Amino acid sequence: LQLEVARSAFLTGRSRPFHYRIQQLQSLRRFVLERKSDFAAALQKDLGKSEHGMELFELLGVEREIMLAIDELPKWAAPKPVEKNLLTIMDEVYVQPEPLGVVLIIGAWNYPLAVTLQPLIGAIAAGNAAVIKPSELSSHTAKVMEDLSLYLDKEMYHVVTGGVTESQELLKQRFDHIFYTGNSMVGKLVMQAASCHLTPVTLELGGKSPCYIDKDCDITIACRRITWGKYLNCGQTCIAPDYILCEPSIQDRLLEEIRKSIKEFYTDDPKSFTDYGRIVNQRHFQRLMALLKGSTVAIGGNGDESERYIEPTVLRDVNPEAKVMQEEIFGPILPVLTVSGADEAISFINSREKPLVLYIFSSNKKLIKRMIEETSSGGVLANDCLVHSTVSALPFGGVGNSGMGSYHGKYTFDQLSHLRSCLIRKLATEKANMMRYPPHTFEKIRWARIVLLNQVNVGRLWRVVLVTLLGILAAFVVQVRLSTNTQSHLERST
Amino acid sequence: MDGQQAVIDRLRASFRSGISLPEQFRLGQLKALLTLVTDNEQQILEALQKDLAKPKFEAILSEVDMVINELSYTISHLKSWMAPEYVEKNLATKLDDCFVRREPLGVVLIIGAWNYPFQLILLPLIGTIAAGNCAIVKPSEISVTTGKLLADLIPKYLSQECYAVICGGIEETKKLLENRFDHIFYTGSQAVGRSVLQAAAVHLTPVTLELGGKCPCLMYGKLDIQAAAKRLVWAKFFNAGQSCVAPDYVLCNRQTCEALVPALRQALEAFYGQRPRECDDMGRIVSQKHCARLVSLLERSTGKVVIGGETDKEEKYIAPTVLVDVKETDALMEEEIFGPILPIISIDTLADAISFVNAREKPLALYVFSDESKVVHTVLEQTSSGGFCSNDGIVHMCLPGLPFGGVGNSGMGSYHGRWGFETFSHRRACMLRGWGLERVNVLRYPPYTESNLGWLRWATGARRQGWGCSVM
């Protein structure tokens, strides 16, 4: 069983030294770069992704994260000293990041490279072993991913392909952390399976990410950015703007601008355009076409089942009860709902599950601030779409139904590490300890309260000492000068 | 349970109204909590005495003062914790505002334990309040008096709109767990921890589990046996051994064992006198049931009792007891002892002791006594545990700079100090862009080209060492 091999490999301890982790990360980078064309072909088959699309939206992120991990690993893994109290003032007190063991990474099909490999980067950087289960829906990419074992330590890192049965089998076993990207329904099952073994989980789920467009904004630019964010990967992005909320007075203008942007990006015939993708499979195609029922199509609306193609579609005057508003769309359909203003938009958003991201388009900084303060979501992005996920220093994750835990950059490392508290004391200086032992007296209680429970900022203490010393020195110098001055005065006057 | 539902609804409505968010409100509540403790210290000590015969000194040190300390620490740092954290950007986002906000989660459920019934409710509550949440607190039903006291005092000092105490046993807790919370904080056993996690999975609620396990105590290499024995005795018999981070069992070689036993005897006498039963500083077991459990462990053990061994079920008293010649398969090694019984297992080499520890579940704390730094660091590097302390026991818990929590079977998540604040917060990534530089954005729009890719790669790449170039 892969888990057992991985665990034995982990227990040898060879994944701990930094040079090993860096070496594995470098091999991962080589894997991704050398097999670029294989991945491109696979993604084309799975999702109709163009080669450049793949590079931009999958590889770039993975490469960036690998280089970041290689550069920062020693810093991330270093022990972090913390505040002491008087009792421990001579001791070493720090937090030491440690690997957890064997991590299970369950990938998703929409960005099969990125969402499977980015957690792996953190897992390797943190010194863990890993079992990777790519999504079977992006089966061609999963096949290429199997070749990971040709580049990385194949006992430490395993790729397991297969469908639901294989996933269920994996989830029965005991891992030290499970990292799952996907939908909330399966997220619950993953967490339930994890509960049997008390395994901690990171769940990157989804939800309907609202996009509020304020009257006071540059509508042309806003629509371009939204169009880009929505139809990228044919809308199959966990952080795609799911639906729009705007005031009725700007709806027509919005639709006009979006229409223009669609044409600009995807030409008059998106079907034949290389940079426009496809729906992952028939089931999702049918699901999406069914969502159109009961709503007014303003742009697009047509699909071709044989090619799993759905054209960029926008719906207008959508009713909150409409089918399209009952589940995460995850496709190239953009409903526009009208609201009377920011107040209604905020209530609307708050009456639904917390989304993975909230988008706000407005030139009014106060409004943006207000919307942030009065709502909750995994993340917030004002005046653009998707790009917050490219900043490795920002934690990427959900809250409530949209997930738990976060990753990217150092966050992945921390998420897949155990932060162990360490207190290194010596047996000497036993006298200081005497006051905490029984028999207990009032005198001892008083001392114990001071010594054990007051925080000492050693840095500040030293600064105080230094300042005092400097003060004394200054006083001394002044005194010397004064006395020499007096002397010279005396000399001159005589 | 209608009563429960009404309470939860009320708290959720309060949270929605936003009253628990402002810094002033949080500080006000924390200060009120401080007053609660200082006004009622005597009552608190009496309740702890009633529930656990907790010696006054222990109660002050490990319950009252820990809460006061955590409160002062939190109050003085809250402002800085609440401030948005601005983060490093890449070239493409240089002109944007990128920051992380700590936001409250909503309604938190805190389930306490009976061994430190006061602080195990209040310390998580402090973090919860500091993070801006509302909370339901469920004290352990086993430490009845303290639970009742908390139910009485909390509504008197804290906002009743935002915080509530629900008392009850297993059935009530099960019912409570069927509801949807925004975070569940549980301290207790692994078995119940699993059910809590399972219940949380239904609602995708994040949890923090502070569980237990058998905390090993290794003694190898050169060491000052007298000093080590004192610290070991203090840590082990504090609260009559009923601490989740008490050293559960000792591993050492035969030689050390032979020197250790008289040193332990000496320390015990110095602390509790010749008749610990009559000493005020010796605690009691929390209930008849737990006392019977411990008595049964002693009876089934095949080890040799060298110190103590007396028990009195009626009085819930177990003498500080030390056993040697304990085998790995002994009854005392089956479960977390959680009582004043210390088995010593003789293992010749450090390497074997480390293997022994690693063959078992990851504990909440791991202790090493040695004057040799190499021994300490070898154990540290070759094992895993929630926390680690060399040449002492328990005290690592009272440093709010250190995260207190387990790993593997000993738990998930952590708290104390800032770690508590972070546990009960959502870290929301925020990025605020402007309309400018749309020309630069063009690089990412379709049609996708090779040259655009090159530029984007450069602009969004991780900052390499010594590269810091802010052209934009």
Side-chain angles (χ1 to χ4, degrees):
Chain A
L1 266 189
Q2 295 95 343
L3 170 56
E4 286 171 18
V5 177
R7 182 147 283 133
S8 311
F10 174 75
L11 288 172
T12 63
R14 67 174 185 268
S15 62
R16 287 174 188 248
F18 292 174
H19 64 82
Y20 174 91
R21 306 184 203 184
I22 290 175
Q23 193 189 50
Q24 295 300 309
L25 287 169
Q26 283 164 341
S27 302
L28 184 61
R29 179 162 184 262
R30 268 190 312 120
F31 171 57
V32 161
L33 293 178
E34 281 175 21
R35 308 302 294 273
K36 203 158 55 156
S37 46
D38 289 333
F39 275 122
L43 281 162
Q44 170 63 234
K45 290 204 194 92
D46 284 330
L47 285 148
K49 246 188 250 239
S50 64
E51 178 152 359
H52 286 137
M54 172 201 76
E55 272 218 60
L56 258 180
F57 307 116
E58 298 238 39
L59 276 190
L60 212 60
V62 170
E63 264 187 275
R64 184 185 65 237
E65 290 270 316
I66 294 176
M67 298 321 289
L68 184 68
I70 290 176
D71 278 346
E72 301 288 310
L73 179 56
K75 217 170 33 158
W76 293 349
K80 319 260 175 321
V82 299
E83 287 177 30
K84 309 190 236 200
N85 57 26
L86 278 173
L87 175 73
T88 51
I89 198 162
M90 300 297 294
D91 307 320
E92 285 173 61
V93 184
Y94 57 90
V95 178
Q96 175 67 58
E98 295 185 342
L100 291 166
V102 186
V103 176
L104 172 63
I105 298 169
I106 302 177
W109 51 260
N110 58 341
Y111 291 87
L113 268 184
V115 307
T116 316
L117 295 183
Q118 279 194 13
L120 178 60
I121 295 166
I124 297 174
N128 298 295
V131 173
I132 301 135
K133 163 76 187 62
S135 169
E136 66 278 14
L137 262 59
S138 46
S139 54
H140 299 96
T141 316
K143 198 97 192 64
V144 182
M145 191 98 50
E146 280 179 333
D147 289 343
L148 189 69
S149 56
L150 301 172
Y151 289 77
L152 263 55
D153 181 338
K154 63 170 175 286
E155 285 168 7
M156 196 72 76
Y157 313 105
H158 298 257
V159 176
V160 176
T161 48
V164 175
T165 331
E166 278 76 12
S167 298
Q168 282 172 340
E169 274 311 306
L170 279 173
L171 284 169
K172 283 195 196 130
Q173 296 165 48
R174 185 179 181 186
F175 287 90
D176 299 291
H177 193 101
I178 300 178
F179 193 108
Y180 169 76
T181 306
N183 67 58
S184 309
M185 257 185 358
V186 179
K188 289 181 185 169
L189 297 173
V190 170
M191 196 171 166
Q192 213 141 50
S195 69
C196 299
H197 298 295
L198 285 172
T199 302
V201 302
T202 303
L203 303 174
E204 294 278 327
L205 310 175
K208 294 180 78 60
S209 298
C211 179
Y212 177 69
I213 306 181
D214 188 32
K215 265 206 312 245
D216 171 20
C217 87
D218 185 330
I219 294 200
T220 311
I221 296 183
C223 288
R224 295 183 83 208
R225 295 179 181 183
I226 291 171
T227 306
W228 175 78
K230 178 67 180 187
Y231 300 106
L232 199 128
N233 205 27
C234 229
Q236 298 162 118
T237 309
C238 48
I239 44 172
D242 190 278
Y243 62 95
I244 291 181
L245 293 172
C246 69
E247 284 180 47
S249 56
I250 57 170
Q251 192 181 195
D252 288 329
R253 173 98 195 277
L254 268 177
L255 294 171
E256 201 33 56
E257 291 293 335
I258 294 177
R259 194 190 303 272
K260 271 200 245 161
S261 301
I262 291 175
K263 191 160 163 191
E264 186 189 329
F265 297 162
Y266 305 113
T267 74
D268 279 319
D269 184 22
K271 194 170 181 181
S272 59
F273 186 57
T274 42
D275 291 330
Y276 187 74
R278 294 290 182 269
I279 306 304
V280 71
N281 65 16
Q282 307 286 12
R283 182 169 68 86
H284 278 280
F285 174 91
Q286 284 156 4
R287 176 185 68 82
L288 285 164
M289 293 307 285
L291 288 180
L292 296 173
K293 268 203 194 68
S295 296
T296 316
V297 175
I299 301 172
N302 298 311
D304 179 345
E305 186 154 355
S306 64
E307 272 200 48
R308 292 160 11 232
Y309 164 79
I310 297 182
E311 60 178 328
T313 301
V314 183
L315 307 170
R316 62 173 296 145
D317 296 311
V318 175
N319 193 310
E321 317 300 319
K323 254 193 122 179
V324 74
M325 288 305 290
Q326 304 314 312
E327 58 182 79
E328 185 177 359
I329 296 169
F330 226 67
I333 299 169
L334 181 59
V336 178
L337 287 83
T338 54
V339 288
S340 55
D343 287 342
E344 197 186 330
I346 291 174
S347 321
F348 188 92
I349 293 166
N350 285 343
S351 65
R352 306 172 97 86
E353 293 295 346
K354 297 176 187 178
L356 191 47
V357 62
L358 168 63
Y359 293 112
I360 309 166
F361 283 82
S362 175
S363 302
N364 182 343
K365 289 213 167 113
K366 272 215 188 114
L367 174 69
I368 295 175
K369 185 164 185 275
R370 184 186 156 210
M371 286 203 87
I372 294 178
E373 283 168 9
E374 293 182 25
T375 60
S376 182
S377 61
V380 179
L381 177 47
N383 300 325
D384 209 330
C385 289
L386 312 185
V387 294
H388 63 300
S389 62
T390 67
V391 179
S392 296
L394 284 175
F396 184 76
V399 65
N401 253 35
S402 51
M404 55 181 79
S406 58
Y407 73 127
H408 281 185
K410 181 169 188 279
Y411 293 100
T412 329
F413 178 90
D414 282 344
Q415 188 85 165
L416 300 175
S417 297
H418 167 51
L419 300 175
R420 190 181 193 187
S421 301
C422 298
L423 171 57
I424 311 292
R425 309 207 68 205
K426 301 266 189 316
L427 280 170
T429 65
E430 183 56 8
K431 290 216 187 284
N433 266 333
M434 300 303 288
M435 99 285 305
R436 76 188 206 215
Y437 298 146
H440 301 312
T441 63
F442 273 114
E443 191 56 42
K444 282 191 184 177
I445 292 179
R446 234 200 346 258
W447 270 112
R449 286 184 118 140
I450 296 172
V451 163
L452 273 174
L453 298 176
N454 282 304
Q455 297 316 302
V456 175
N457 186 330
V458 181
R460 214 180 319 144
L461 245 187
W462 274 119
R463 284 199 287 276
V464 168
V465 168
L466 265 171
V467 167
T468 318
L469 281 176
L470 277 172
I472 295 173
L473 189 63
F476 182 69
V477 166
V478 167
Q479 249 225 339
V480 168
R481 299 219 95 213
L482 274 177
S483 65
T484 46
N485 268 354
T486 325
Q487 242 191 332
S488 56
H489 256 279
L490 283 168
E491 277 165 9
R492 258 187 256 141
S493 52
T494 39
Chain B
M1 196 136 255
D2 282 323
Q4 284 184 1
Q5 192 59 56
V7 173
I8 297 174
D9 290 341
R10 184 182 85 228
L11 260 48
R12 208 169 275 290
S14 299
F15 180 75
R16 283 232 166 91
S17 75
I19 65 171
S20 61
L21 271 69
E23 185 187 332
Q24 281 312 109
F25 177 85
R26 305 183 201 188
L27 283 174
Q29 294 299 300
L30 291 170
K31 288 182 183 149
L33 201 48
L34 192 53
T35 317
L36 182 159
V37 178
T38 48
D39 277 358
N40 299 283
E41 184 168 320
Q42 199 44 45
Q43 264 196 294
I44 295 165
L45 295 177
E46 278 166 17
L48 291 166
Q49 168 66 232
K50 195 131 186 268
D51 283 332
L52 285 144
K54 214 178 268 240
K56 186 165 165 180
F57 185 90
E58 287 187 7
I60 291 178
L61 211 62
S62 65
E63 299 251 30
V64 173
D65 275 10
M66 268 202 82
V67 173
I68 294 178
N69 199 46
E70 182 85 358
L71 277 166
S72 318
Y73 187 80
T74 303
I75 289 170
S76 63
H77 287 86
L78 185 59
K79 198 188 186 79
S80 65
W81 294 349
M82 282 177 70
E85 180 195 345
Y86 284 86
V87 302
E88 203 181 294
K89 305 179 263 203
N90 54 38
L91 273 176
T93 52
K94 263 289 188 255
L95 294 183
D96 309 317
D97 262 340
C98 288
F99 55 94
V100 179
R101 284 190 81 196
R102 264 84 180 159
E103 300 181 348
L105 295 165
V107 181
V108 175
L109 172 63
I110 298 170
I111 302 175
W114 53 258
N115 56 338
Y116 292 88
F118 191 66
Q119 66 118 303
L120 289 176
I121 286 279
L122 290 190
L123 255 62
L125 182 59
I126 292 168
T128 302
I129 296 174
N133 301 290
C134 292
I136 291 189
V137 151
K138 214 289 296 165
S140 167
E141 67 281 12
I142 298 180
S143 44
V144 180
T145 322
T146 315
K148 281 212 188 93
L149 185 62
L150 285 167
D152 184 45
L153 292 177
I154 287 180
K156 285 204 184 107
Y157 287 80
L158 297 184
S159 156
Q160 291 196 39
E161 288 172 53
C162 295
Y163 316 105
V165 182
I166 293 185
C167 289
I170 299 178
E171 284 313 310
E172 282 89 347
T173 312
K174 273 206 191 119
K175 268 280 164 194
L176 201 50
L177 285 167
E178 283 170 16
N179 292 288
R180 184 179 183 181
F181 291 94
D182 299 291
H183 193 101
I184 299 176
F185 186 101
Y186 169 75
T187 307
S189 74
Q190 279 148 20
V192 181
R194 278 194 189 92
S195 336
V196 170
L197 198 45
Q198 224 148 38
V202 173
H203 299 292
L204 283 174
T205 303
V207 302
T208 304
L209 301 175
E210 295 276 329
L211 310 176
K214 294 179 76 60
C215 300
C217 178
L218 283 72
M219 301 175 90
Y220 286 89
K222 270 193 301 117
L223 75 146
D224 177 343
I225 286 270
Q226 301 299 329
K230 283 214 198 80
R231 296 184 187 183
L232 175 56
V233 164
W234 182 80
K236 174 68 183 187
F237 300 102
F238 196 92
N239 202 26
Q242 297 162 112
S243 309
C244 43
V245 287
D248 191 278
Y249 61 96
V250 170
L251 297 177
C252 61
N253 60 34
R254 291 209 172 272
Q255 245 183 323
T256 311
C257 180
E258 278 161 29
L260 182 60
V261 173
L264 289 174
R265 195 174 285 122
Q266 225 183 344
L268 278 166
E269 243 186 68
F271 291 2
Y272 307 114
Q274 298 242 342
R275 284 184 286 273
R277 192 167 174 165
E278 291 154 32
C279 177
D280 278 337
D281 295 329
M282 181 67 201
R284 293 291 182 270
I285 308 306
V286 71
S287 68
Q288 305 269 3
K289 182 169 146 212
H290 277 275
C291 192
R293 176 184 68 84
L294 289 164
V295 169
S296 153
L297 282 180
L298 262 181
E299 282 167 3
R300 290 190 297 127
S301 169
T302 57
K304 185 170 109 185
V305 175
V306 290
I307 301 176
E310 300 86 41
T311 65
D312 183 334
K313 284 191 202 170
E314 285 241 353
E315 225 194 277
K316 297 182 281 182
Y317 170 75
I318 297 194
T321 303
V322 179
L323 297 98
V324 297
D325 297 332
V326 176
K327 295 203 188 59
E328 191 176 341
T329 48
D330 194 277
L332 286 169
M333 293 306 287
E334 281 167 14
E335 54 183 76
E336 190 176 354
I337 295 171
F338 229 66
I341 301 169
L342 181 65
I344 303 178
I345 299 181
S346 297
I347 295 189
D348 281 333
T349 64
L350 177 63
D352 286 339
I354 292 176
S355 308
F356 184 96
V357 167
N358 285 341
R360 310 174 91 84
E361 294 295 344
K362 296 177 188 177
L364 188 51
L366 204 150
Y367 300 108
V368 180
F369 282 85
S370 183
D371 278 323
E372 289 177 46
S373 166
K374 190 152 180 277
V375 169
V376 171
H377 282 93
T378 306
V379 179
L380 180 55
E381 283 156 27
Q382 294 184 12
T383 59
S384 182
S385 62
F388 179 91
C389 180
S390 69
N391 295 320
D392 213 327
I394 301 185
V395 288
H396 63 294
M397 261 197 77
C398 56
L399 290 161
L402 286 178
F404 182 66
V407 65
N409 258 32
S410 52
M412 53 178 80
S414 62
Y415 70 126
H416 283 188
R418 185 173 195 166
W419 305 91
F421 177 83
E422 295 280 328
T423 291
F424 296 110
S425 300
H426 166 51
R427 276 185 314 207
R428 193 178 191 191
C430 300
M431 182 166 164
L432 309 182
R433 309 206 75 196
W435 304 113
L437 295 178
E438 185 58 6
R439 285 187 191 283
V440 177
N441 263 342
V442 168
L443 291 176
R444 73 189 203 216
Y445 296 148
Y448 305 137
T449 68
E450 196 71 39
S451 61
N452 285 359
L453 187 57
W455 278 108
L456 270 171
R457 186 178 244 118
W458 179 68
T460 60
R463 234 186 50 200
R464 308 303 299 277
Q465 306 286 46
W467 249 66
C469 170
S470 294
V471 168
M472 303 217 263

